[in-house]
């Protein structure tokens, strides 16, 4: 089983989850969850909510669990985020609070994670650990320190982006467009709209402006602006004349 599929198989079922443990407090679905809103600038200790809405600048100081997370503005979460529906117009950053130099291990991938059924980002998304969803749509830029996995993934890149690994069934990476973001992400030679990743693995893969060590899948289309070390395919492979692939391997005969 591919790595991305194994991660997807272990995903949380938000509707059927029996308990959540948050700072030694057990929360069950029978507990009544309230909505939480921040308008302007504000902060929260994190916790379990029904709907969380941010319009402005927000800080959450612990893990956040909710049915819906919607942010128009900027949100910083010192912990993980799990939600059925994550919708960002602006910037979402998940990070660990560093107390002192002794807390900076500098090794491995962070245990912080984002999990969702649906995730839509117009702007920026930054996370030192893994991000997992059924459906991801992004128009902007992102950094994921671990694995980025989804059954269906549409990434429209505007600005430098990176992940350690990307996995899914249907993966599309293209150059982003949109008047809302044109001024925000001014692409130039020092700030290219390029996705950098070690491994991309899926079934149906289409790439543009991507630098990857390995791309592995069934049907693969390498569009313009790509530099790929090794492509492993089964059914079909297309390579644009403005892209470079060092090694091609047809796995259909294995």
């Amino acid at each position: 089983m591919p790595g991305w599929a194994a991660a997807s198989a272990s995903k949380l079922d938000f509707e059927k989850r029996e308990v959540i443990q948050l700072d030694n407090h057990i929360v069950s679905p029978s507990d009544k969850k309230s909505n939480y809103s921040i308008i302007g600038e504000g902060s929260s200790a994190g916790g379990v909510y029904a709907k969380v809405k941010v319009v402005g600048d927000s800080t959450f100081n612990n893990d956040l669990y909710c049915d819906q997370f919607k942010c128009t503005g900027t949100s910083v979460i010192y912990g993980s985020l799990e939600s059925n529906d994550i919708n960002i117009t602006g910037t979402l950053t998940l990070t660990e609070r560093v107390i002192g130099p002794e807390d900076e291990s500098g090794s491995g991938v962070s245990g912080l994670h984002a999990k969702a059924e649906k995730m839509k980002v117009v702007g920026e998304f930054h996370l030192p650990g893994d991000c997992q969803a059924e459906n991801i749509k992004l128009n902007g830029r992102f950094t994921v320190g671990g694995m980025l996995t989804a059954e269906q993934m549409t990434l429209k890149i505007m600005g430098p982006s990176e992940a350690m690994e990307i996995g899914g069934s249907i993966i599309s990476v293209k150059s982003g467009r949109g008047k809302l973001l044109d001024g925000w992400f001014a692409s130039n030679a020092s700030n290219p709209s390029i996705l950098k990743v070690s491994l991309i693995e899926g079934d149906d893969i289409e790439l543009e402006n991507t630098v990857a060590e390995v791309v592995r899948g069934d049907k693969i289309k390498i569009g313009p602006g790509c530099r790929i070390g090794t492509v492993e395919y089964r059914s079909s492979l297309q390579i644009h004349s403005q892209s470079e692939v060092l090694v091609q391997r047809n796995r259909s005969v294995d």
Side-chain angles (χ1 to χ4, degrees), residues 98-141:
V98 178
I99 306 297
E102 66 275 7
D103 296 316
E104 299 182 10
S105 64
S107 62
V109 176
S110 169
L112 296 185
H113 62 268
K115 291 185 179 182
E117 292 294 323
K118 296 188 300 180
M119 183 172 185
K120 181 179 180 181
V121 179
V122 179
E124 299 185 44
F125 175 58
H126 305 286
L127 164 68
D130 297 334
C131 178
Q132 182 180 319
E134 283 292 304
N135 188 296
I136 294 177
K137 293 182 179 180
L138 179 137
N139 193 350
R141 65 187 181 192

Side-chain angles (χ1 to χ4, degrees), residues 17-239:
R17 179 190 299 161
E18 295 181 357
V19 294
I20 297 172
Q21 184 169 357
L22 181 63
D23 286 349
N24 299 319
H25 174 61
I26 303 298
V27 180
S28 70
S30 60
D31 291 344
K32 184 177 181 181
K33 294 180 290 185
S34 60
N35 296 331
Y36 188 84
S37 296
I38 294 177
I39 309 296
E41 184 175 351
S43 63
S44 166
V48 181
Y49 299 97
K51 296 181 180 180
V52 175
K53 180 180 180 180
V54 174
V55 180
D57 296 329
S58 66
T59 301
F60 296 88
N61 293 303
N62 208 327
D63 298 334
L64 182 61
Y65 301 88
C66 54
D67 298 329
Q68 182 184 72
F69 182 83
K70 185 175 183 179
C71 171
T72 303
T74 301
S75 285
V76 176
I77 301 176
Y78 290 98
S80 297
L81 172 62
E82 296 186 11
S83 178
N84 286 324
D85 185 2
I86 298 175
N87 194 315
I88 307 298
T89 303
T91 302
L92 173 63
T93 302
L94 275 61
T95 187
E96 294 174 307
R97 190 180 296 279
V98 178
I99 306 297
E102 66 275 7
D103 296 316
E104 299 182 10
S105 64
S107 62
V109 176
S110 169
L112 296 185
H113 62 268
K115 291 185 179 182
E117 292 294 323
K118 296 188 300 180
M119 183 172 185
K120 181 179 180 181
V121 179
V122 179
E124 299 185 44
F125 175 58
H126 305 286
L127 164 68
D130 297 334
C131 178
Q132 182 180 319
E134 283 292 304
N135 188 296
I136 294 177
K137 293 182 179 180
L138 179 137
N139 193 350
R141 65 187 181 192
F142 68 92
T143 53
V144 174
M147 294 180 62
L148 176 64
T149 58
E151 283 295 318
Q152 295 189 6
M153 185 182 310
T154 303
L155 307 177
K156 297 182 179 180
I157 306 299
M158 298 185 72
S161 300
E162 60 181 285
M164 184 169 68
E165 296 183 11
I166 290 178
S169 180
I170 300 174
I171 300 171
S172 173
V173 179
K174 296 186 177 182
S175 298
R177 299 287 187 273
K179 294 182 179 179
L180 176 64
L181 298 177
D182 283 344
W184 195 350
F185 301 120
S187 183
N188 51 55
S190 62
N191 191 42
S193 295
I194 295 290
L195 170 62
K196 295 182 179 180
V197 57
S198 295
L199 169 66
I200 300 176
E201 186 172 10
D203 297 322
D204 193 334
I205 302 172
E206 183 174 0
L207 305 177
E208 293 180 2
N209 295 341
T210 299
V211 176
E213 295 178 16
V214 178
V215 176
R216 181 182 298 129
D218 183 35
K219 300 177 182 178
I220 300 176
K221 181 178 180 180
I222 306 297
C226 295
R227 296 199 310 274
I228 312 296
T230 300
V231 171
E232 300 178 359
Y233 69 99
R234 288 188 178 276
S235 295
S236 63
L237 172 63
Q238 300 178 49
I239 302 175

